[in-house]
Amino acid sequence: MKNIINLNQNNLAKIANRIACPKYNRTDIKTGIVHVGIGGFHRAHEAFYTDQLLHDESVKEWGICGVALLDFDTKIYNTLKEQDGLYTLIVKELDGSLTKRVIGSIVEYLFAPENPSKVIEKMASPDVKIITLTITEGGYNYNEATRAFDFENPLIQHDLEHSQAPKTIFGYLTEALKLRQQRGLKGVTIQSCDNIQGNGHMAKKMLLSYVEKAAPELVSWIEKNVSFPNSMVDRITPATSPTDISNLLETSGIEDAWPVVCEPFKQWVIEDDFIAGRPAWETVGAQFVEDVVPFEKMKLSLLNAGHSVLGILGDLMGYATIDESVHNNEINRFLTNYMNIEVTPTLAGLEGVNLDEYKQSLLQRFGNIYIKDQIDRICSESSAKFPIFILPTVNKQLEKNGPVEFASFVVAAWAIYSLGKNENGKPLLIKDAMKAILNEKAILAKENPEAFLEIASIFGKLNDSKIFVNAYTTAYNNIVKYGVEKCVIAINNKVIK
């Protein structure tokens, strides 16, 4: 093993002799972006693009201040603090080789629970032109049944009563925008980087819903001074494992408490609607377009839904990683059929995109044996993912009396998965904010499969559709009787070649 070097700013010159490092002077970089949610995906995506941009010596105003919003984020905050915002990005290439580089674009870092006012002040800083978000699908506080902001959320109720010490993104943004208005400052762009179709529209709708109750006098100012561009983001970023950390230490002699691993593929399509200026991310591979919605829909309903399909079916069958699941020929065929038969007919407006090539590339990416994307990560928070990734395809097909057999099978598998054991009787690691209600309905579904569809915040009024309910119930009973793999084979064999 090489001499060990701790990753921090003082050691950067030494580390640069071993792997690629920032060549720009980080002390010259001014914070122009506040990013909330400094997990692995942000650090493999937006922070990576921004790091590449900062190598242009004329660009000095687009450093990132990373905000850890939740108590759960203590570890990542402490890691970045100890490492001066630096971390190693490890790209796992398809041939098994590793491309490593240190990323330096996060030049500040704040822990919201420790000092809420400091975060609010930073968001209100005149230097900050953009506030970006990766707060997960569930972070937008959207109720699928009411299609409205969920004011019953205890954290939201807390923020309404304790505006100076908020706990949610909506409380923080509202207080920061109040300060910008009071101080006569220019507006700001709020840019979602989450996997939600129309993520900018969602961010605007949910924020304004909160503001109308918390600070109604602010609504008109936001309408005039804040923009919310939609964007589509894509880069598979599995959870960092202890092996990833030890391999970096052994091969490079670099001690990094939380490196990020990702696939080589990356994509960022953004609507060019930035009210206070923006970085020239297009010079480092991002794509700015007038309308991002078709690209979003393609990605959410093919890649993200595909992940959920592989995760739920694979977990029930005892697989641990996504590549294991997709290398099961029958699951691979099932996913291919689902994408071709049920998803593709719902997609349109994709000029310049070869859908067949895109779908084939997804199967290759899912099958990258070096990524080892843990299935429990993919299946986490499925209650927030299904309404965004899979149910829009179902609803679109039902509108035109189209096929829903594959999607209904996945929902049925999810109901059985929510019982908490795989087909070998081993416990499943279920991470979901709605875990208790999912399990409660899953138990009831053993006697009445439709009970699982009664979770209105997830399924809305889907249980009113006889076509879907019949397909779902048939799938549920077949999985219980024959197991996932035999049922998958049977469905695949129905497809006319």
Side-chain angles (χ1 to χ4, degrees):
M1 183 187 295
K2 297 182 178 182
N3 293 332
I4 296 174
I5 304 177
N6 293 323
L7 180 55
N8 56 50
Q9 185 63 38
N10 290 335
N11 291 334
L12 206 52
K14 295 178 184 176
I15 293 171
N17 293 324
R18 301 183 179 184
I19 66 173
C21 286
K23 295 180 180 178
Y24 48 90
N25 187 342
R26 296 178 75 228
T27 60
D28 290 343
I29 304 301
K30 190 162 59 174
T31 295
I33 303 167
V34 170
H35 181 81
V36 181
I38 44 178
F41 180 75
H42 165 69
R43 293 187 289 144
H45 198 261
E46 180 189 334
F48 167 77
Y49 279 94
T50 305
D51 174 81
Q52 299 306 291
L53 180 65
L54 292 175
H55 281 84
D56 179 340
E57 293 183 0
S58 68
V59 178
K60 299 189 184 296
E61 72 276 20
W62 293 115
I64 297 171
C65 173
V67 174
L69 188 69
L70 309 174
D71 291 324
F72 175 80
D73 298 325
T74 302
K75 181 182 176 184
I76 183 58
Y77 167 72
N78 287 334
T79 298
L80 288 175
K81 184 178 179 181
E82 291 166 6
Q83 296 181 178
D84 302 317
L86 297 167
Y87 61 92
T88 312
L89 184 67
I90 304 169
V91 180
K92 296 191 172 183
E93 310 289 352
L94 289 171
D95 64 1
S97 62
L98 304 177
T99 301
K100 297 171 252 185
R101 67 168 54 247
V102 174
I103 304 298
S105 54
I106 299 176
V107 295
E108 293 185 76
Y109 23 86
L110 297 174
F111 185 46
E114 180 179 80
N115 197 335
S117 61
K118 197 168 184 178
V119 173
I120 292 167
E121 282 290 342
K122 177 55 67 174
M123 288 179 170
S125 166
D127 291 335
V128 170
K129 309 294 193 301
I130 304 171
I131 299 171
T132 54
L133 313 172
T134 48
I135 55 176
T136 76
E137 298 82 8
Y140 290 84
N141 201 46
Y142 176 72
N143 186 303
E144 182 68 23
T146 63
R147 300 193 178 275
F149 192 82
D150 181 12
F151 282 103
E152 300 303 310
N153 183 336
L155 295 178
I156 296 298
Q157 294 177 4
H158 169 277
D159 284 7
L160 289 170
E161 295 174 7
H162 305 90
S163 61
Q164 296 304 308
K167 293 182 180 293
T168 75
I169 185 61
F170 304 102
Y172 278 99
L173 289 175
T174 300
E175 291 307 302
L177 295 176
K178 271 188 199 174
L179 290 182
R180 296 183 85 98
Q181 180 195 37
Q182 292 166 5
R183 295 169 181 175
L185 298 176
K186 292 182 178 179
V188 67
T189 296
I190 297 175
Q191 182 185 7
S192 170
C193 299
D194 282 300
N195 285 315
I196 299 173
Q197 187 176 356
N199 53 15
H201 296 327
M202 175 68 83
K204 181 177 182 178
K205 179 181 178 182
M206 296 298 101
L207 177 61
L208 286 178
S209 295
Y210 178 83
V211 171
E212 283 170 1
K213 195 162 189 174
E217 71 283 356
L218 190 59
V219 171
S220 61
W221 187 88
I222 291 175
E223 293 278 13
K224 295 175 184 175
N225 295 280
V226 182
S227 62
F228 299 83
N230 294 309
S231 68
M232 184 268 265
V233 297
D234 191 3
R235 191 169 212 179
I236 295 173
T237 309
T240 302
S241 70
T243 301
D244 294 318
I245 296 171
S246 61
N247 282 346
L248 176 64
L249 183 63
E250 291 171 8
T251 59
S252 303
I254 297 169
E255 189 161 35
D256 182 343
W258 205 329
V260 179
V261 296
C262 65
E263 65 168 337
F265 181 92
K266 63 185 182 301
Q267 189 174 20
W268 198 6
V269 184
I270 315 165
E271 286 178 356
D272 202 351
D273 180 21
F274 290 74
I275 201 164
R278 64 167 177 80
W281 281 314
E282 70 273 23
T283 63
V284 289
Q287 181 182 1
F288 285 92
V289 299
E290 288 187 14
D291 182 12
V292 76
V293 170
F295 296 90
E296 286 179 309
K297 186 174 182 181
M298 174 188 74
K299 188 254 180 173
L300 294 172
S301 55
L302 290 173
L303 181 138
N304 295 113
H307 255 149
S308 292
V309 170
L310 295 172
I312 296 295
L313 301 187
D315 217 356
L316 280 174
M317 290 174 61
Y319 296 126
T321 61
I322 289 297
D323 62 288
E324 291 174 353
S325 185
V326 80
H327 282 123
N328 176 300
N329 289 335
E330 292 301 332
I331 293 181
N332 190 303
R333 283 179 64 203
F334 180 96
L335 177 56
T336 300
N337 288 330
Y338 168 68
M339 292 193 295
N340 290 340
I341 295 169
E342 295 184 12
V343 180
T344 299
T346 71
L347 303 177
L350 291 165
E351 291 184 20
V353 176
N354 185 315
L355 264 182
D356 288 336
E357 290 181 1
Y358 180 78
K359 287 181 284 189
Q360 191 59 41
S361 76
L362 292 183
L363 295 172
Q364 292 172 348
R365 293 167 62 194
F366 292 148
N368 186 334
I369 61 173
Y370 303 103
I371 286 290
K372 295 298 174 194
D373 206 352
Q374 295 295 311
I375 279 179
D376 58 40
R377 182 189 83 86
I378 292 301
C379 292
S380 68
E381 304 304 334
S382 285
S383 62
K385 293 175 178 177
F386 267 67
I388 295 166
F389 302 160
I390 291 176
L391 300 187
T393 295
V394 171
N395 292 328
K396 197 72 175 177
Q397 287 288 13
L398 290 174
E399 285 175 13
K400 58 180 185 178
N401 295 317
V404 293
E405 186 176 15
F406 289 91
S408 60
F409 184 91
V410 178
V411 174
W414 183 32
I416 295 168
Y417 163 94
S418 297
L419 290 168
K421 291 186 179 180
N422 69 16
E423 292 185 332
N424 302 317
K426 294 183 178 179
L428 297 170
L429 180 59
I430 297 178
K431 307 171 188 174
D432 200 299
M434 295 185 67
K435 179 179 177 180
I437 187 67
L438 289 168
N439 182 252
E440 176 188 324
K441 293 295 186 180
I443 291 170
L444 293 175
K446 293 169 71 174
E447 299 297 327
N448 172 25
E450 289 183 50
F452 193 71
L453 302 179
E454 293 171 357
I455 310 175
S457 62
I458 297 174
F459 297 106
K461 298 180 179 179
L462 191 56
N463 58 352
D464 288 346
S465 168
K466 290 183 179 179
I467 293 174
F468 183 83
V469 170
N470 287 340
Y472 158 84
T473 303
T474 299
Y476 185 99
N477 291 330
N478 284 339
I479 294 171
V480 170
K481 187 173 183 179
Y482 301 109
V484 171
E485 189 159 30
K486 285 185 178 179
C487 293
V488 165
I489 292 171
I491 292 175
N492 285 336
N493 288 341
K494 287 182 185 177
V495 178
I496 299 173
K497 302 299 180 186

